[in-house]
Amino acid sequence: MRIIASLKIASRALRRNKMRSLLTMLGVIIGVGAVIGAVSLTSGATKQVEDQVSNLGENVITVFSGNFTTGGMRGGWGSAPTLTLEDTAAIRLLPHVVAISPEVRDRAQVLANGLNWNTQVLGESPDYPQIRNWDIASGSMFSDQDVRTLAKAAVIGKTVADQLFPNENPVGLTIRIRNLPFQIVGVLAAKGFNLFGQDQDDVVIVPYSSHMHRITTRTFVNSIQVQAENDKVISLVQQEITDLLLARHRSKEQDFTVRSQLELMQTVTATSRAMGFLLAGVAAVSLVVGGIGIMNIMLVSVTERTREIGIRMAVGARAADILVQFLIEAVTLSAIGGAIGIAGGVGFSRLVAYLKDMPTVTPVIWIVIAVVSSAVIGIISGFYPAWKASKLDPIDALRYE
Amino acid sequence: MAGVSRAVVDLILKYFVQTNPVIKLDAIQKTYHTGEVDVHAVRGITLNIFPGEFVAIMGSSGSGKSTLMNMIGALDRPTGGHYWLDGIDVSTLDRDALADVRNEKIGFVFQGFNLLSRTSALENVEMPMQYNRQRIHSHEQRTRAQQSLELVGLGPRADHHPNQLSGGQQQRVAIARALVNKPSLLLADEPTGNLDSQTSIEIMGVFQKLNDQGITIIMVTHELDVARFTKRMVILRDGKILTDEAVQNRSVADKELQRLRQEQQAVKLAS
C-alpha cells in the first residue's frame, strides 16, 4: 500500500467531515499556536535584554575591590583600598586578556562655557572604549602617552556634551574639573541607559593617572575592567584573576570580587529558561488534550467505518494496510493542526509586535519542536484506534450495520 | 520479452487449468465453539470446481452455505479438512497470506454491493489494486479500472458516485471491482438479493457473459429462479451436500429479459 494512496484516502476521509476534522484539529491548533505565540513574545523580550547586556561591552570581567569598614560603617564594593595599579599590570600579563582598564570613580562638578554640571568623572585607560564596545563620535580617545604624562585630557559623554556645549563641537575646548582645566579630545557616541536605568552618557573620562594624581589623590583603584579574548575563556580568566590576586594580596579572606558579564547573561538566560520550561509544560498539556481529541474522533471514525474496513479487508487489505491508513489519518489531522497552529502563533506574535511595538522572535527550534510533537501526538493518539481497526474480523466488519 | 513470457505462462496455465480444479474441498469442516454447545456449521464437504464452471450453492438459512462461502472466500479458515484454491492450501495460511489470496485469487460480489460511498465508480474499482503486492502504477490502475467498468457496460459512468447509480448499476460496479485483479474465481453472495426481477436477470446476464469468457463463478443464493442461470447446482442441508447436479433447462438472460418485456407489454395492453 503506497503512502500517496493512503494520504489520498486519509484526505478524503477528513474532507468528508470537514466540521468534525476542523474541531478535532482545534485542540492541536490552539496548543501549538499558544506555545509558538508565547515563545515568540518571550524570546523577543529575552533578546532585548541580551542586547542590553552585550551593550555593556563584550566578554568583560570586572574586578571590584572589597568592602571597607570603618567604625561600623561599611563602604560597599569598591571602597576598600586593596586594588592597585600593580594588580592591574599583573592581570594584564595573564593569558587571554586582550584589554584592561583600571577604573577610578568620582563625582564632581564640572564647568565649561559658563555652565556647570554634576557628573561622574572616571579615570580609565585608553582601552576603555574597546572594552565597553563604545565608539568615539568625534575626536579620539586619549593615548598611552597621555596616561604616562598625567595629561589633562578628557573624553566626554553625549549628555555632558549636550549640557555644557549645547551649540558647538566640544573637541579642542576646555572643561574644568575641580578647577583644573582639561582639554576635551573626544566625544563618545550616545549609548543610552543601561540595564539598571543609569544614563551611561553622563560621564567624563580622563586618564586614570591624571585622575589619581590631579583630581583625587588615591593610590588604589575602585575596580578593574578586563576584556577576555572570547566568551569561552571568561570563566578561566576569572579564575586566573582570582588566584593571582589572592596570591598578590596574601590575604586569607578574599578582599575583592570578580564578576563577569557572563554571570549577568546567565541570570537573564536562567529566567528565560524557566519561562521556557513553563511554556513546555503548557505545550505538553495542551498537546495531550489535543491528542485525546484526535484519539476520540479516530475511535468514532473506526466504528463508523467498520463496513468500509470490512470491504477493504475482503478485497485484500492486510491488517498493516488498515493500521497505516488510520495512522496516517490521525497524523494528517495533527500535522495540519500543527501547521495551522504555527502559522497562527507566528501571525499572533507579529500582530502583537506591530500593535505594541515589541520585538518578537520565533526560534526555528520551537517550530521544529511544534512540528515533531504534533506528529508524535498524531501517531500516539492514532495508534490505538488504528490498531483496533486492523484487528477487526473481515466477516464481522462486512456484516456490521 | 514480457509478451513472450506472458504467452508462455498462459500456455502453461491453460494446460494446468484443464487438469486441475480451481477449488478443491476435501472433507471440510467448520465448528463454532460458542459457550457450552459446539455448532457444526459445515460437517465435511468434499467438492471440486473446475475452471469455467458456473456453480450455484443453495440451501435454506442454517444450511451452512454462508459459512462455506466465507471459507471459499478465504475470509475464514476451516476447523477441519483441506481447501486448495488454485493449488494453494488455503487452510494453512495466516491472516496476511489470506488477505493476499483474497486480493489476487478471489473477486467478491456482495448482496449489499458494499461500495465505498462518496467515492467514484472508477476509484471503487481501483481499490483492490491498491492492495496488490505487485505494485501497480497509478496510471495502469486507472486504465484497468476503466476497462473493467467497460466490461460490465458502465464505461460512461466511471465518474459517478454510488448514490448517483441505480442498484443494478451499483452491482455492476461491484462486479467490475471483483474482476479488476484478474482473479481465478468470482464469488457472489446473493448478488440479486437487493434487486428487482428485471435487474436481477440483467445481472445474471452479466455473469453469464463473463462465464462465457471463461471466468469461474460461484454464487450463493436461495432463489431457484436465479440458480437456474448457472450451470451446476449444489444444494446444502445441515452442513452437508444434499444434491450436486448440472442445471437442466438452463435460463438464458437474453431470452428471459425478452419474455419479461413481452409480459409487461401484455399487462399494459390488458389494462
Side-chain angles (χ1 to χ4, degrees):
Chain A
M1 184 78 174
R2 270 160 284 195
I3 294 296
I4 295 169
S6 302
L7 277 174
K8 257 173 147 178
I9 295 169
S11 76
R12 180 176 298 140
L14 297 179
R15 267 182 282 141
R16 200 176 301 169
N17 283 306
K18 283 197 193 73
M19 193 54 163
R20 181 204 280 182
S21 303
L22 189 72
L23 288 172
T24 309
M25 279 189 276
L26 212 54
V28 179
I29 292 174
I30 291 173
V32 170
V35 167
I36 292 291
V39 163
S40 301
L41 292 179
T42 52
S43 307
T46 307
K47 187 165 186 307
Q48 213 172 12
V49 175
E50 277 173 358
D51 286 349
Q52 282 176 333
V53 170
S54 69
N55 194 21
L56 293 173
E58 278 173 64
N59 311 323
V60 177
I61 298 165
T62 308
V63 186
F64 298 97
S65 67
N67 167 41
F68 182 65
T69 310
T70 44
M73 193 177 82
R74 302 198 290 166
W77 296 127
S79 60
T82 52
L83 286 180
T84 61
L85 290 176
E86 287 72 37
D87 289 334
T88 311
I91 292 171
R92 180 72 188 89
L93 296 175
L94 289 173
H96 308 301
V97 172
V98 292
I100 194 161
S101 177
E103 186 170 278
V104 199
R105 285 195 299 271
D106 195 25
R107 283 203 82 84
Q109 205 74 17
V110 293
L111 298 93
N113 240 357
L115 297 166
N116 68 84
W117 186 250
N118 187 288
T119 186
Q120 179 157 49
V121 179
L122 293 179
E124 301 281 356
S125 82
D127 284 349
Y128 188 68
Q130 181 199 333
I131 296 170
R132 291 293 312 277
N133 196 15
W134 208 340
D135 291 333
I136 309 284
S138 66
S140 61
M141 190 61 186
F142 49 77
S143 64
D144 286 324
Q145 173 78 12
D146 293 331
V147 172
R148 278 195 293 276
T149 59
L150 315 186
K152 288 181 275 185
V155 172
I156 62 173
K158 181 76 165 48
T159 305
V160 175
D162 288 348
Q163 292 299 332
L164 297 179
F165 307 96
N167 300 315
E168 52 197 324
N169 185 353
V171 175
L173 299 177
T174 301
I175 185 172
R176 296 182 80 85
I177 308 169
R178 297 246 160 112
N179 245 348
L180 279 171
F182 278 73
Q183 194 186 27
I184 296 167
V185 294
V187 177
L188 291 161
K191 207 168 173 72
F193 293 88
N194 70 6
L195 216 57
F196 317 103
Q198 289 170 325
D199 180 6
Q200 300 176 89
D201 298 321
D202 189 3
V203 71
V204 173
I205 300 169
V206 300
Y208 62 88
S209 54
S210 312
H211 196 288
M212 292 168 79
H213 289 99
R214 294 181 190 276
I215 299 173
T216 54
T217 47
R218 283 186 198 161
T219 52
F220 62 92
V221 299
N222 296 100
S223 59
I224 302 168
Q225 308 274 354
V226 182
Q227 187 175 32
E229 202 167 29
N230 55 54
D231 56 352
K232 290 183 193 70
V233 298
I234 288 179
S235 313
L236 176 70
V237 173
Q238 248 182 302
Q239 189 56 48
E240 282 175 345
I241 292 172
T242 309
D243 294 344
L244 178 77
L245 292 183
L246 276 177
R248 284 183 60 84
H249 294 180
R250 293 193 188 85
S251 62
K252 292 223 171 67
E253 245 177 280
Q254 194 173 323
D255 56 359
F256 57 88
T257 313
V258 184
R259 288 267 171 78
S260 77
Q261 222 177 293
L262 201 63
E263 287 162 353
L264 188 58
M265 200 74 115
Q266 276 162 351
T267 315
V268 173
T269 44
T271 315
S272 67
R273 194 174 305 149
M275 191 62 101
F277 278 126
L278 194 70
L279 287 172
V282 173
V285 169
S286 56
L287 283 177
V288 164
V289 171
I292 291 170
I294 290 177
M295 190 186 285
N296 194 9
I297 285 303
M298 290 309 294
L299 282 171
V300 172
S301 179
V302 167
T303 310
E304 273 182 356
R305 284 152 69 195
T306 301
R307 209 177 166 79
E308 177 193 326
I309 296 164
I311 299 168
R312 289 184 183 279
M313 284 180 159
V315 302
R318 290 184 179 185
D321 294 326
I322 301 295
L323 185 89
V324 167
Q325 183 193 326
F326 279 90
L327 215 48
I328 283 183
E329 236 175 89
V331 172
T332 307
L333 265 178
S334 66
I336 292 175
I340 295 174
I342 290 168
V346 171
F348 170 75
S349 70
R350 289 278 157 81
L351 188 71
V352 170
Y354 176 72
L355 293 178
K356 295 264 175 185
D357 196 24
M358 274 169 64
T360 62
V361 183
T362 308
V364 177
I365 183 74
W366 274 93
I367 291 179
V368 173
I369 289 171
V371 169
V372 170
S373 51
S374 52
V376 167
I377 283 294
I379 290 171
I380 292 172
S381 57
F383 191 84
Y384 174 64
W387 178 81
K388 220 179 133 188
S390 74
K391 289 293 160 223
L392 284 173
D393 181 45
I395 299 168
D396 294 339
L398 275 170
R399 281 207 205 105
Y400 187 87
E401 290 296 331
Chain B
M1 183 63 204
V4 173
S5 58
R6 179 72 213 177
V8 173
V9 168
D10 281 349
L11 224 117
I12 294 168
L13 274 180
K14 216 170 204 172
Y15 178 74
F16 192 73
V17 148
Q18 274 171 351
T19 48
N20 286 286
V22 178
I23 286 182
K24 185 173 157 67
L25 299 175
D26 182 20
I28 210 160
Q29 290 181 12
K30 182 76 188 181
T31 308
Y32 293 105
H33 306 281
T34 49
E36 291 159 26
V37 197
D38 284 356
V39 179
H40 302 280
V42 171
R43 316 162 177 244
I45 288 180
T46 300
L47 183 69
N48 288 331
I49 294 170
F50 288 88
E53 282 203 274
F54 189 0
V55 184
I57 294 177
M58 298 195 63
S60 54
S61 59
S63 62
K65 64 181 197 299
S66 288
T67 308
L68 182 64
M69 173 85 184
N70 286 340
M71 286 190 285
I72 291 175
L75 288 164
D76 207 353
R77 268 175 299 207
T79 49
H82 280 279
Y83 165 31
W84 287 272
L85 172 63
D86 222 7
I88 302 166
D89 188 353
V90 176
S91 34
T92 61
L93 298 178
D94 66 11
R95 255 191 106 179
D96 282 349
L98 282 178
D100 292 352
V101 163
R102 290 197 295 272
N103 184 250
E104 288 161 23
K105 304 279 184 196
I106 301 165
F108 286 96
V109 177
F110 303 96
Q111 178 176 3
F113 321 136
N114 276 343
L115 299 175
L116 298 181
S117 56
R118 299 189 219 193
T119 306
S120 75
L122 191 70
E123 284 168 316
N124 261 295
V125 177
E126 278 176 1
M127 203 242 293
M129 289 186 282
Q130 290 171 353
Y131 298 108
N132 202 302
R133 292 299 134 189
Q134 288 133 12
R135 302 209 149 180
I136 301 168
H137 195 269
S138 60
H139 180 72
E140 199 197 331
Q141 285 191 14
R142 189 128 297 204
T143 318
R144 270 169 66 173
Q146 187 66 40
Q147 284 170 350
S148 204
L149 278 171
E150 272 155 19
L151 199 65
V152 295
L154 272 183
R157 295 183 188 268
D159 55 345
H160 284 51
H161 286 202
N163 59 358
Q164 298 168 311
L165 297 170
S166 69
Q169 287 168 333
Q170 288 187 48
Q171 194 59 298
R172 282 165 195 256
V173 174
I175 294 169
R177 181 180 66 191
L179 292 172
V180 80
N181 263 345
K182 301 191 172 69
S184 319
L185 175 70
L186 194 64
L187 203 53
D189 184 9
E190 305 272 10
T192 59
N194 284 14
L195 301 173
D196 62 54
S197 52
Q198 189 185 327
T199 316
S200 295
I201 296 169
E202 282 169 11
I203 290 297
M204 292 320 293
V206 173
F207 280 136
Q208 283 188 332
K209 210 176 89 195
L210 293 171
N211 183 242
D212 289 343
Q213 291 168 19
I215 293 170
T216 313
I217 303 172
I218 299 178
M219 183 176 74
V220 171
T221 183
H222 61 268
E223 290 173 84
L224 190 62
D225 287 352
V226 173
R228 291 182 64 80
F229 287 92
T230 66
K231 291 177 181 166
R232 177 180 169 190
M233 236 189 276
V234 177
I235 299 173
L236 303 184
R237 182 177 293 171
D238 298 330
K240 285 180 193 158
I241 294 177
L242 185 69
T243 60
D244 179 1
E245 53 202 15
V247 174
Q248 308 293 324
N249 300 324
R250 193 180 169 211
S251 305
V252 178
D254 289 346
K255 284 180 189 161
E256 292 298 318
L257 267 181
Q258 223 168 3
R259 218 186 46 171
L260 196 71
R261 288 208 188 93
Q262 281 166 358
E263 272 176 23
Q264 284 168 343
Q265 203 75 24
V267 170
K268 222 179 248 173
L269 286 174
S271 60

